[in-house]
Amino acid sequence: MGLVVQKYGGSSVADAEGIKRVAKRIVDAKKNGNQVVVVVSAMGDTTDELIDLAGQVSPIPAGREFDMLLTAGERISMALLAMAIKNLGHEAQSFTGSQAGVITDSVHNKARIIDVTPGRIRTALDEGNIAIVAGFQGVSQDKKDITTLGRGGSDTTAVALAAALDAEVCEIYTDVDGVFTADPRVVKKARKIDWISFEDMLELASSGSKVLLHRCVEYARRYNIPIHVRSSFSGLQGTWVSNEPQGDQKVEQAIISGVAHDTSEAKITVVGVPDKPGEAANIFRAIADSQINIDMIVQNVSAASTGLTDISFTLPKTEGRKAIDALERTKAAVGFESLRYDDQIAKISLVGAGMKTNPGVTAGFFEALSDAGVNIELISTSEIRISVVTRADDVNEAVRAVHTAFGLDSDSDEAVVYGGTGR
Amino acid sequence: MGLVVQKYGGSSVADAEGIKRVAKRIVDAKKNGNQVVVVVSAMGDTTDELIDLAGQVSPIPAGREFDMLLTAGERISMALLAMAIKNLGHEAQSFTGSQAGVITDSVHNKARIIDVTPGRIRTALDEGNIAIVAGFQGVSQDKKDITTLGRGGSDTTAVALAAALDAEVCEIYTDVDGVFTADPRVVKKARKIDWISFEDMLELASSGSKVLLHRCVEYARRYNIPIHVRSSFSGLQGTWVSNEPQGDQKVEQAIISGVAHDTSEAKITVVGVPDKPGEAANIFRAIADSQINIDMIVQNVSAASTGLTDISFTLPKTEGRKAIDALERTKAAVGFESLRYDDQIAKISLVGAGMKTNPGVTAGFFEALSDAGVNIELISTSEIRISVVTRADDVNEAVRAVHTAFGLDSDSDEAVVYGGTGR
């Protein structure tokens, strides 16, 4: 008998009807002879409503209490889901993150899982139950306080439980049919990917693809848990993410897995930095001390006449204010001339393990952008990814041009169904 | 430094404004030099909304999952209350029933507290925190499952924590000014009671007074924890419930503490029961086996000519259907003739330790009812209480007549403020 972990997001359990629909699907998996563990998010807008309530009570809610508040959301959805399953004649029990043994560090609002001890889940399964587990939450190892895992945390809960229980697969149910070669809202001819490697998926996730978060894929790779991303609104096969394709998983020998884009970043340019050892270190130490993650970095060639250079980097727009403040405080020590802040940029990335052995990819990428009249402002590369920064206005045209140039367009004239069949 | 336990009901924390108002009151208690533990119920209608959701998902929600669901309510209110207190510059931490060490049996939806191990609360207090505890909930001793304590459970949580922490007082904040000599909605001249003994309060609670539940008062008496029932909408002194009046607590040497009434009961009459040993036992065994609590019982004098008698008893209207079914099943074995069901009754009770030494009380009670033209159908007495059953239509007039006859009417012409000053 196999063990399957399924994860359902908030849009799949947005109301009583959704919960009953999901319950049927879970019972089907059980009827197919599996032990089933289900990780569930809070219903629809519950989390946003709780955040709103917190804002009415306190302008800066304390982390510990904020986590206590937010975890009420999954408590509601998981209890209702267990009831709905029992109503279909199958045994089910719900478990909080703490009860399920999801042990985290103490960083409230974005805790990291450090251990999973699913003894109660194992017992519940052995007694014939379907186990329903609250996503997004855990309990801190030192203080035994309730923690939350931050955005996308329910996916990580699911993968972590799948690893601890040695599951055959972790199914991530969502409101799209799987992972696509590009965002189908931008590229009408985007194709659903049947299988993708962990490595390519990691690059897509860090390049702006929203379907799976980087942390979740990283966890799955480390413990070699195959992920199946699929729609909760249809019975279609979705996208398998794993080390190796299995069985009938179609793998086309494509050089490129997909094109991702990201408009959530901004660019800061530090102008007139003295070109001597240690200056760049000073700048990025200031940024790191403010707990800001940066993405791409480019240092211009120094102008020999002035001995000054410019350093540009990208970072999440939400961190822009904090970064500017941190840099202003170091201005005297570093001795740069000025700062420029630009949030009208987009990042476009081409991802695929095939580019390692295909030297023409970089050239093809730049040619496609050039043919589309798109100007490149920054470039960064990894072994299996090329990213460029362009004007935000150009992003849709750029993605479409690259998608076509690398032969990713769907042959079918049918529009891709985005957002599932149900809503 | 004293330790005070305060309990706030759902109407006191119905919205963000209510939570902020309550937070100020809690901080005042802390500023007065007390260690403060706060027990809080779910916000306003939250519990009803969750029950409604459960009904949409399953017609008969499983007890374990139903408790998991309902406890989300206090999780929200307690986290918000802790945030609001921290926003006022004081340290606060919230704790679930489980974290607070509220250990119960495993009877879901109406669990009983069997132990309280408030180690984490004690630590939080010693570190200077105000401790906010979820009312109404606990964790079962054997299975470590989340349980709820049933109606009025938050009051019991508060008293149980006060006992375990050896608190000076348990303050129950509500939307009325205290315990009154009668329901002020019925008797305009009802007076607020300044002090009442545990014994009299127990009798009032079991006779229909809604302010405190019997279980909570029983717990307080067992551990000798003074309760102070007061309004969260005013600063007025409320009603003290304790063994002995203390300090400036006014005690009038009244014979009678108050008049309670209850319209939630029905009367079942078993007609034509053979008057021989064991028949009454058979009837009440059938009722007990159905887990129904009955209140008053009267057996008529047997008619010598027939050898048959009638047995009447009262019970909650909500149990009426179940009791009738149970009795019908025993009809052949017991051999009674028929059943009568009457839900148009009311119970009126006179409560006061003084009646032990005042033989005229019973006569005065019956005279007052007679003068008001109220017919008595059943009578039952305890050492400090007399109860009668009348027609439901007569209840208001009967309560007013008795209240006046025993000199309980307020001297003041001011209308009693019922429902506090704020709402």
Side-chain angles (χ1 to χ4, degrees), chain B residues 17-100:
Chain B
E17 286 313 307
I19 287 169
K20 287 193 263 190
R21 189 172 44 73
V22 164
K24 281 206 196 77
R25 193 179 268 273
I26 293 166
V27 165
D28 285 344
K30 171 86 174 165
K31 281 184 185 163
N32 286 339
N34 297 295
Q35 289 191 319
V36 184
V37 176
V38 176
V39 174
V40 67
S41 302
M43 293 169 73
D45 302 326
T46 308
T47 303
D48 289 339
E49 287 164 17
L50 292 173
I51 291 172
D52 180 59
L53 260 178
Q56 290 176 42
V57 164
S58 174
I60 317 158
R64 180 186 185 278
E65 303 307 324
F66 199 59
D67 282 354
M68 184 70 92
L69 177 71
L70 293 190
T71 51
E74 289 79 35
R75 202 175 188 84
I76 293 170
S77 57
M78 73 184 189
L80 292 171
L81 187 53
M83 287 177 194
I85 291 170
K86 288 172 82 81
N87 203 36
L88 296 175
H90 288 257
E91 287 306 312
Q93 291 193 334
S94 64
F95 297 92
T96 64
S98 172
Q99 290 176 337

Side-chain angles (χ1 to χ4, degrees), chain A residues 181-241:
Chain A
T181 51
D183 186 337
R185 284 169 296 194
V186 173
V187 181
K188 297 291 172 219
K189 294 201 152 199
R191 280 188 295 107
K192 189 185 74 190
I193 300 169
D194 291 311
W195 174 86
I196 187 171
S197 68
F198 285 129
E199 286 69 25
D200 280 14
M201 192 65 233
L202 280 173
E203 292 284 4
L204 283 179
S206 56
S207 302
S209 169
K210 303 280 193 304
V211 186
L212 290 177
L213 287 189
H214 191 276
R215 182 150 60 135
C216 156
V217 182
E218 180 58 48
Y219 210 109
R221 181 174 68 164
R222 195 186 325 151
Y223 292 97
N224 194 20
I225 300 294
I227 297 177
H228 187 187
V229 183
R230 58 196 305 195
S231 169
S232 72
F233 299 93
S234 79
L236 299 175
Q237 284 280 309
T239 300
W240 284 84
V241 187

Side-chain angles (χ1 to χ4, degrees), chain A residues 6-224:
Chain A
Q6 300 187 331
K7 180 261 173 176
Y8 293 91
S11 61
S12 300
V13 292
D15 53 23
E17 286 314 305
I19 287 169
K20 288 193 263 191
R21 190 173 43 73
V22 165
K24 283 207 193 76
R25 193 179 268 274
I26 293 166
V27 165
D28 286 345
K30 171 85 175 165
K31 281 183 183 162
N32 286 340
N34 297 294
Q35 289 190 318
V36 184
V37 176
V38 176
V39 174
V40 67
S41 302
M43 294 170 72
D45 301 325
T46 307
T47 303
D48 289 338
E49 287 164 16
L50 292 174
I51 292 172
D52 179 58
L53 260 178
Q56 289 176 42
V57 164
S58 173
I60 317 157
R64 180 185 185 280
E65 304 308 322
F66 199 59
D67 282 354
M68 184 69 93
L69 177 72
L70 293 189
T71 51
E74 290 80 34
R75 201 174 188 85
I76 294 170
S77 57
M78 74 184 190
L80 291 171
L81 187 53
M83 287 178 196
I85 291 170
K86 288 173 82 81
N87 204 35
L88 296 174
H90 288 257
E91 287 305 312
Q93 290 192 334
S94 64
F95 297 92
T96 64
S98 172
Q99 289 177 337
V102 179
I103 316 291
T104 73
D105 61 22
S106 292
V107 183
H108 285 291
N109 308 161
K110 47 180 180 179
R112 291 193 159 264
I113 295 175
I114 52 184
D115 196 9
V116 180
T117 54
R120 289 190 68 171
I121 304 298
R122 184 72 79 183
T123 303
L125 293 174
D126 290 347
E127 290 172 357
N129 289 287
I130 294 166
I132 315 292
V133 179
F136 176 67
Q137 58 179 253
V139 62
S140 68
Q141 192 167 42
D142 51 354
K143 294 188 181 167
K144 312 293 177 218
D145 281 334
I146 304 302
T147 53
T148 66
L149 307 178
R151 225 173 63 78
S154 291
D155 289 1
T156 310
T157 303
V159 170
L161 270 171
L165 292 163
D166 198 20
E168 287 183 355
V169 59
C170 180
E171 297 183 332
I172 306 279
Y173 285 90
T174 176
D175 55 4
V176 297
D177 284 339
V179 182
F180 283 77
T181 51
D183 186 337
R185 284 169 296 194
V186 173
V187 181
K188 297 291 172 219
K189 294 201 152 199
R191 280 188 295 107
K192 189 185 74 190
I193 300 169
D194 291 311
W195 174 86
I196 187 171
S197 68
F198 285 129
E199 286 69 25
D200 280 14
M201 192 65 233
L202 280 173
E203 292 284 4
L204 283 179
S206 56
S207 302
S209 169
K210 303 280 193 304
V211 186
L212 290 177
L213 287 189
H214 191 276
R215 182 150 60 135
C216 156
V217 182
E218 180 58 48
Y219 210 109
R221 181 174 68 164
R222 195 186 325 151
Y223 292 97
N224 194 20

Side-chain angles (χ1 to χ4, degrees), chain A residues 399-414:
Chain A
V399 169
R400 282 191 286 264
V402 172
H403 197 266
T404 302
F406 282 88
L408 297 171
D409 287 356
S410 168
D411 300 332
S412 160
D413 282 338
E414 280 180 55

Side-chain angles (χ1 to χ4, degrees), chain B residues 270-330:
Chain B
V270 190
V271 180
V273 182
D275 192 7
K276 56 186 187 192
E279 292 296 2
N282 285 338
I283 287 171
F284 292 108
R285 170 55 54 203
I287 298 293
D289 286 349
S290 300
Q291 303 288 320
I292 297 165
N293 286 319
I294 59 173
D295 183 18
M296 298 161 76
I297 304 175
V298 170
Q299 177 168 350
N300 290 357
V301 176
S302 172
S305 57
T306 60
L308 296 177
T309 188
D310 296 346
I311 295 177
S312 296
F313 61 91
T314 62
L315 77 175
K317 282 179 188 169
T318 49
E319 305 281 19
R321 184 73 257 162
K322 204 160 59 163
I324 294 288
D325 290 347
L327 290 170
E328 287 289 0
R329 283 196 298 273
T330 63

